[in-house]
């Protein structure tokens, strides 16, 4: 059931979460609290991004586990989300792009695991271009009373109980799903509230925009190269911001396709399965779209490592079908 239909545009996120919880008589309120904790961190990170001062702009001076230079804002966002999830008390263990190992919050009785990319779009930090946060939420498999385990964190995307992203753009938006459709909320800084602005979001079945880093085209698999040629024949538009959240969000609203395929050098591409591909795949499917690695469904993949990478082809359903055809010809 999608109760968003019953809730008007302008409903606050808090009220929306509370109303949604009422649909599940046995809900304990823990997931609701967790979503509020994420919204709190999102507000703080949104403020830090827009400050753009000496404390927030520039390199941090270290590299993360992926060997990428961390920006100050990567570190700030990581700290803010971890702190909000720790203080909120509903999460036992976190997987973060910015940390090699699991982060245990000390809330050993909490039943949720969060996998997150605290700040997505590293090349767009510091240049006043949209960035994002991506998160996926899982129920732990292990018994409470101890730290979450690696097995708790390496669940398939189908096991997500909720997932979402925050887009720090011209306005800040939080878009999430708990498996009953997708809803988008816009932040109003002067009131400190997220308000329902995009109820029951649906991605058009087809679009006329494609998003990929075309500089890499000669390394793309042949099927993707041929699909790209098809897009050009069709006179589709190329739209690539280089922030996955922003590119995905635009395609969600307007229809389109985003792909970051594997290459001859990096067979699994660049994006991370646990905290980039899986959450967005859950949202795409809930909005009526698809997410694959070019052929197979992202949400069915069995993760084997925290930071593993995966090719991603995501967006409007008919466009994803077309890519699958080209890939299997
Ligand atoms: P992150 O900043 O979390 O490392 O992710 C960046 C990702 C993604 O946001 C974007 O779509 C992609 O990297 C861009 O990669 P290219 O610069 O290779 O196009
Ligand atoms: Mn990212
Ligand atoms: Mn990141």
């Amino acid at each position: 059931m999608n109760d968003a239909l019953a809730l008007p545009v302008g409903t606050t996120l808090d009220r929306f979460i509370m109303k949604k919880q009422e649909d599940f008589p046995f809900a304990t309120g823990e997931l609701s609290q967790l979503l509020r904790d994420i919204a709190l961190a999102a507000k703080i990170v949104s403020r830090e991004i827009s400050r753009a001062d000496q404390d927030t702009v520039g390199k941090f001076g270290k590299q993360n586990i992926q060997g990428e230079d961390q920006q100050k804002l990567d570190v700030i966002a990581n700290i803010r989300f971890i702190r909000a999830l720790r203080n909120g008390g509903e999460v036992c263990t976190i997987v973060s792009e910015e940390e090699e190992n699991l982060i245990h919050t000390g809330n050993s009785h909490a039943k949720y695991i969060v996998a997150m990319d605290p700040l997505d779009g590293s090349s767009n930090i510091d240049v006043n271009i949209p960035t994002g946060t991506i998160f996926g939420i899982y129920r732990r498999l292990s018994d409470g009373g101890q730290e979450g385990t690696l097995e708790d964190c390496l669940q398939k995307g189908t096991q997500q109980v909720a997932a979402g992203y925050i887009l720090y753009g011209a306005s800040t938006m939080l878009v999430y799903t708990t498996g009953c459709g997708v809803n988008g909320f816009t932040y109003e800084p002067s009131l400190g509230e997220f308000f329902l602005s995009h109820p029951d979001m649906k991605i058009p079945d087809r679009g006329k925009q494609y998003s990929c880093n075309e500089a890499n085209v000669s390394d793309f698999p042949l099927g993707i190269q041929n699909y790209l040629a098809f897009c050009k024949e069709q006179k589709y538009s190329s739209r690539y911001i280089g922030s996955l959240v922003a590119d995905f969000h635009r395609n969600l609203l307007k229809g389109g396709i985003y792909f970051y395929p594997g290459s001859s050098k990096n067979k699994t591409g660049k994006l991370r399965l646990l905290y980039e591909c899986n959450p967005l795949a859950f949202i795409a499917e809930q909005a009526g779209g698809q997410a694959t690695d070019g052929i197979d469904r992202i949400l069915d993949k069995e993760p084997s490592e925290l930071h593993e990478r995966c090719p991603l082809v995501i967006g409007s359903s008919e466009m994803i079908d077309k890519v699958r055809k080209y890939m299997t010809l």
Side-chain angles (χ1 to χ4, degrees), residues 68 74 97-98 117 119-123 213 216 240 242-245 247 258 260 270-272 276:
E68 297 157 347
D74 282 322
E97 181 188 58
E98 300 304 330
D117 178 352
L119 199 58
D120 170 74
S122 43
S123 63
N213 187 339
N216 299 333
Y240 190 66
S243 285
L244 172 61
V245 170
D247 281 309
Y258 173 102
Y260 209 113
K270 176 181 185 188
L271 301 172
R272 277 55 59 111
E276 292 179 316

